[in-house]
């Protein structure tokens, strides 16, 4: 017969071994787990109507170059990002009130704006302004210098100030004898491009090369266009700042976010991510001034 007394020491030793193994595993697990840093969720707002930059595709999904840049930059900077669309005035109010943390839509910056808002320091997009005309227009009316725009017809939206309106007014002051002829209307840019394509009362619009290509792809439009040298543009005034930045609240937290995104965007410039996104979405390299000039063979 087996003796209970003989089995008891074996049972105790086995229990201690099992207990010891379990204790060691628990200790190792707790020491190897690093604390997980919770990602802050931030809201980025835009108009959502600029084709190629931030717009709704056929599946009603917000897409575009700046949308993709923000997604990647946020991931690298350690943020979760959500997108919302609103009118520009509401977005500015929302940035000031803290409802939105980022404003984007190929934004340039001025000293007056920098007093109210924080901007990234590293630009993520560079594209100079262009002038668009109906297809075949330049054969009849070449535009090689700025005053060649004199007496051409354009349209502006009533009660809505923008860079094209300011340029047209500055042109009138510079060349009063041959001012650009303006018709004010309730129509918007989508209507203006449609009418320009049809040759319906519009000879010239301010635009960008990338937008022309995207309009051709989306709607089958065809335009002539010209990018004039900066020396010609300076005779009237800067139409648009070719660099684009992201806007944040004028707070300590906003400054921290801007610095985080600057670091991410700078890394994306260096490893070629911005260049790849620009070529994929916009069809050419608008990721920086150097890349734009190289891809467009701009003579310095």
């Amino acid at each position: 017969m087996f003796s209970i007394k003989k089995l008891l020491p074996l049972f105790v030793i086995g229990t201690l071994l099992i207990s010891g193994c379990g204790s060691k595993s628990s200790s190792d697990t707790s020491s190897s787990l690093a604390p997980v840093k919770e990602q802050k969720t931030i809201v980025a707002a835009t108009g959502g109507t600029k084709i190629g930059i931030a717009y709704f595709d056929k599946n009603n999904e917000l897409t575009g170059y700046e949308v993709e840049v923000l997604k990647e930059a946020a991931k690298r900077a350690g943020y979760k990002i959500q997108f919302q669309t609103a009118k520009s005035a509401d977005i500015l109010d929302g940035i000031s009130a803290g409802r939105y943390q980022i404003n984007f839509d190929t934004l340039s910056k001025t000293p007056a704006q920098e007093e109210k808002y924080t901007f990234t320091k590293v630009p993520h997009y560079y594209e100079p302004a262009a002038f668009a005309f109906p297809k075949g227009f330049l054969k009849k009316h070449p535009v090689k210098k700025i005053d060649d725009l004199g007496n051409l017809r354009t349209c502006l939206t009533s009660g809505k100030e923008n860079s094209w309106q300011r340029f047209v007014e500055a042109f009138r002051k510079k060349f009063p004898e041959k001012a650009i002829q303006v018709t004010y209307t309730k129509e918007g840019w989508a209507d203006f491009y449609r009418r320009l394509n049809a040759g319906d009362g519009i000879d010239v619009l301010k635009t960008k090369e990338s937008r022309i290509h995207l309009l051709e792809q989306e709607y089958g439009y065809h335009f002539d266009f010209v990018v004039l040298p900066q020396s010609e543009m300076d005779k009237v005034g800067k139409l648009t700042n070719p660099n684009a930045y992201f806007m944040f609240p004028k707070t300590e937290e906003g400054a921290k976010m801007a610095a985080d995104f600057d670091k991410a965007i700078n890394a994306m410039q260096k490893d070629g991510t911005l260049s790849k996104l620009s070529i994929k979405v916009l069809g050419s390299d608008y990721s920086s001034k150097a890349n734009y000039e190289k891809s467009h063979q701009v003579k310095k």
Side-chain angles (χ1 to χ4, degrees), residues 187-260:
E187 295 174 315
W189 281 95
D191 300 300
F192 297 160
Y193 282 119
R194 176 185 54 77
R195 290 179 57 186
L196 184 71
N197 177 69
D200 180 16
I202 301 179
D203 300 320
V204 60
L205 286 175
K206 181 268 292 188
T207 189
K208 290 185 176 180
E209 176 192 43
S210 62
R211 198 160 304 141
I212 289 174
H213 292 327
L214 289 163
L215 286 166
E216 289 176 348
Q217 294 173 18
E218 289 282 326
Y219 304 109
Y221 292 167
H222 296 284
F223 303 110
D224 286 350
F225 74 94
V226 168
V227 178
L228 293 176
Q230 190 60 48
S231 58
E232 281 297 312
M233 301 295 294
D234 289 342
K235 292 178 181 178
V236 175
K238 187 176 291 185
L239 183 53
T240 55
N241 186 334
N243 288 302
Y245 306 86
F246 296 126
M247 177 193 289
F248 299 81
K250 191 73 170 180
T251 61
E252 184 176 339
E253 185 180 28
K256 169 67 167 55
M257 286 188 288
D260 290 340

Side-chain angles (χ1 to χ4, degrees), residues 10 43 75-76 78 104 118 161 243 262 286:
L10 294 173
V43 180
K75 183 169 68 175
R76 296 190 185 204
F104 70 103
T118 301
E161 184 180 357
N243 288 302
D262 267 327
Y286 304 103

